Amino acid sequence: MKPLVAIVGRPNVGKSTLFNRLVGRRIALVEDEPGVTRDRHYADAEWEGRAFTLIDTGGFVPGEKDTLLKQVREQAQFAVEECDVIIFVVDARAGMTTADEAVANYLRKSGKPVVVAANKLDNETGQMQSLAGEFFRLGLGDVNAMSAEHNLGMGSLMDSVVSKLPEKQEGEDAEAPPDDGKIRVAIIGRPNVGKSTLVNAILKEKRVVTSEVAGTTRDPIDSEVMYKGNQLILTDTAGIRRKKTIAHQVEQYSVIAALKVLERSDVAVLLMDATEPAVDQDAKLAGLSMDRGRALVIVVNKWDLIAEDKRRQEAFREDLKIALKFVGYAPVIFTSALHGSKVEKVVDVAVELAKQFRFRAPTPQLNKLLDYMVDNNPAPIVKSKPLRLYYIAQVAAAPPTFALTCNEPQGVPDMYKRYITNQIRKTFDLRVPIRLLFRERPGKAKREARKKPHLAGKGGKGGKRAGRD
């Protein structure tokens, strides 16, 4: 798995702004008031060829008695426990506070490598740089003066972070799991939804300890099984991780455990509880599966407990459709793992999705489909000229990834991307994530230069004068 980098600090010091800057898009909410971020956000980033996963945490308020703020602090503590390097963000304009010192004391005890980011220094004058100096008193090593909002000092900050990452492991950057003929299935979900019971039902033996007590499974457990000629590796993930230094209420499920397992899986089986409506944790796990490009099966367990209540069944189906509409392509199966109802169907669907996960489409068929798509729904106008799609080819599998050559790769509207994705999905009957890449035609820059030879220099009026001379 990619190394983990946690961004921590007291409220309103710019953690989410830094997170968005490093991942290159706006994921975390940013407001000029404390307490906006409560849950952790995860996203992949890269610096100088080294890939890692960033964790944005809520404001760290040590010793806070308020229930909500206490939970936010525990979320941050969990991130610290699991990460490889910590970015400790402080507000250099506001100066050092007792809260900063308390956070620094906690980080020092964690024993993890820490990089101090003195944020909100919006220019690089000597006076502004000196404001960062007082944070050396925290005793956490070098202090990096920077501004996440204005993109100042990011280079030295990230150089420091990368220098503290553990030595790179073979295969840690791999996007897809190994293609060795084995089908890797991750069983993920909140605590006490029946993950271990499902694994035992598939294996037809009590391989994994089960209990009504949430958190029985502590670490991911692999089980191999032959099923209809297919070799499967089932991984039962922990619904909750309890550590001595963290209160047991810290987490309703272990998203980091799920991340680790998803990195090496073909298919994720998201297990939900029929007696509870779809909740934010379920949506977050589904989102992680989608972001990692993994095939997804949504399995609603304990369906037998509401079998007699048709109204409740319909309400659950509607809640599910709304909460997980962003993964509407994923099959949904209603089961009872305890009674073995439709357990084989879960495995059949997972095997089928694993094959689709590594699907490859013939290029001639793809380009016929492209002609059909453009004829039936002409591409929109982009930058005052028609968007032209010239060619499509599949460039990767696991998940299926398609590259489209066009004249304005940066301007393709999201609506048209969804149209192309849906047409590919419909044509090849794919119920797995699909990725699209848009590229310019090779040699476009040279053709533009030939059309406008007077602009071949540095451009502007100077270029025109050089052409006339």
Side-chain angles (χ1 to χ4, degrees):
M1 182 183 175
K2 298 181 182 71
L4 296 172
V5 177
I7 301 176
V8 302
R10 62 182 176 83
N12 204 33
V13 293
K15 297 184 296 297
S16 294
T17 303
L18 176 60
F19 176 82
N20 290 340
R21 172 70 65 185
L22 293 177
V23 302
R25 61 191 190 279
R26 187 184 174 95
I27 296 177
L29 290 175
V30 177
E31 295 288 347
D32 193 20
E33 60 180 79
V36 173
T37 301
R38 292 175 180 173
D39 295 319
R40 301 193 304 275
H41 295 282
Y42 302 81
D44 290 335
E46 182 180 294
W47 183 259
E48 297 295 334
R50 187 71 193 272
F52 49 90
T53 298
L54 276 173
I55 312 174
D56 179 31
T57 66
F60 198 112
V61 188
E64 180 56 56
K65 299 290 191 262
D66 176 83
T67 303
L68 178 60
L69 292 178
K70 182 181 177 183
Q71 290 175 0
V72 172
R73 184 190 75 240
E74 289 172 341
Q75 291 271 338
Q77 288 176 323
F78 189 88
V80 168
E81 288 286 338
E82 293 288 346
C83 74
D84 298 290
V85 176
I86 300 161
I87 300 178
F88 176 29
V89 185
V90 295
D91 184 342
R93 285 190 305 202
M96 190 160 61
T97 67
T98 55
D100 291 323
E101 292 175 340
V103 176
N105 287 336
Y106 173 77
L107 297 181
R108 201 178 296 110
K109 293 175 184 176
S110 76
K112 297 294 178 71
V114 180
V115 175
V116 180
N119 194 26
K120 302 188 180 181
L121 296 175
D122 298 339
N123 63 59
E124 297 180 304
T125 65
Q127 180 184 6
M128 296 300 288
Q129 295 289 323
S130 67
L131 294 176
E134 66 172 315
F135 292 96
F136 281 94
R137 289 190 297 145
L138 293 173
L140 293 173
D142 290 341
V143 177
N144 296 269
M146 44 81 68
S147 169
E149 184 175 359
H150 297 282
N151 199 24
L152 296 174
M154 301 299 292
S156 59
L157 172 68
M158 295 314 300
D159 286 343
S160 298
V161 170
V162 170
S163 71
K164 294 180 183 296
L165 289 175
E167 188 174 341
K168 189 170 183 178
Q169 301 296 311
E170 184 179 354
E172 77 175 28
D173 294 340
E175 286 290 322
D179 187 8
D180 56 5
K182 298 178 181 179
I183 297 174
R184 291 167 172 81
V185 180
I187 314 293
I188 62 175
R190 293 179 291 118
N192 209 27
V193 294
K195 297 186 296 296
S196 298
T197 304
L198 177 63
V199 171
N200 287 339
I202 294 171
L203 298 174
K204 297 182 179 177
E205 62 177 284
K206 192 168 182 179
R207 183 86 63 88
V208 184
V209 175
T210 62
S211 168
E212 291 183 0
V213 177
T216 302
T217 301
R218 302 294 180 87
D219 293 296
I221 300 169
D222 285 349
S223 301
E224 292 199 31
V225 62
M226 285 296 295
Y227 181 82
K228 297 181 180 179
N230 299 288
Q231 189 172 3
L232 276 66
I233 299 177
L234 304 176
T235 306
D236 179 23
T237 61
I240 186 170
R241 297 285 293 278
R242 299 186 182 184
K243 296 209 173 186
K244 294 179 182 177
T245 55
I246 310 175
H248 70 270
Q249 301 95 340
V250 64
E251 187 72 344
Q252 294 305 307
Y253 62 91
S254 178
V255 72
I256 291 186
L259 266 173
K260 291 178 179 177
V261 175
L262 284 171
E263 292 282 351
R264 54 188 177 92
S265 298
D266 302 291
V267 182
V269 173
L270 172 58
L271 208 62
M272 301 174 61
D273 188 333
T275 64
E276 300 177 13
V279 296
D280 289 344
Q281 291 97 325
D282 296 322
K284 185 174 288 187
L285 284 171
L288 285 173
S289 301
M290 182 183 70
D291 291 343
R292 289 298 185 278
R294 298 310 185 244
L296 176 66
V297 188
I298 298 167
V299 178
V300 182
N301 192 25
K302 307 181 186 180
W303 196 243
D304 56 304
L305 298 182
I306 62 171
E308 303 301 322
D309 192 339
K310 300 301 180 185
R311 182 176 296 178
R312 194 174 176 188
Q313 285 185 355
E314 286 304 314
F316 189 95
R317 291 177 193 270
E318 285 302 313
D319 288 343
L320 187 65
K321 191 182 298 183
I322 294 169
L324 301 183
K325 63 182 179 181
F326 60 94
V327 286
Y329 55 83
V332 181
I333 302 171
F334 299 90
T335 71
S336 170
L338 184 63
H339 299 290
S341 172
K342 294 188 179 179
V343 168
E344 282 203 358
K345 184 176 181 181
V346 173
V347 187
D348 288 334
V349 171
V351 169
E352 175 58 30
L353 291 185
K355 294 175 181 175
Q356 294 184 17
F357 183 61
R358 298 186 182 277
F359 167 81
R360 286 195 174 271
T363 300
Q365 190 175 354
L366 281 172
N367 281 282
K368 285 181 182 178
L369 174 60
L370 181 62
D371 292 339
Y372 170 83
M373 288 189 289
V374 173
D375 288 344
N376 283 270
N377 187 0
I381 302 296
V382 176
K383 296 182 181 178
S384 303
K385 57 184 178 183
L387 173 67
R388 300 192 183 281
L389 302 171
Y390 304 113
Y391 187 77
I392 182 173
Q394 185 171 354
V395 294
T401 303
F402 303 89
L404 292 96
T405 305
C406 62
N407 59 336
E408 291 293 341
Q410 304 302 320
V412 184
D414 289 341
M415 182 177 65
Y416 206 72
K417 291 178 182 178
R418 286 194 296 271
Y419 166 69
I420 294 171
T421 299
N422 290 337
Q423 289 297 317
I424 293 174
R425 195 182 300 286
K426 180 180 176 182
T427 301
F428 298 105
D429 192 22
L430 298 177
R431 294 183 291 172
V432 296
I434 291 173
R435 290 179 173 169
L436 300 180
L437 307 174
F438 291 88
R439 300 171 174 173
E440 285 184 342
R441 280 196 293 179
K444 179 180 176 182
K446 292 181 179 179
R447 288 194 297 274
E448 293 290 333
R450 282 199 297 270
K451 289 179 184 177
K452 302 176 182 179
H454 55 278
L455 297 180
K458 293 185 179 181
K461 294 180 181 179
K464 289 185 178 181
R465 284 196 298 271
R468 281 197 296 270
D469 291 338

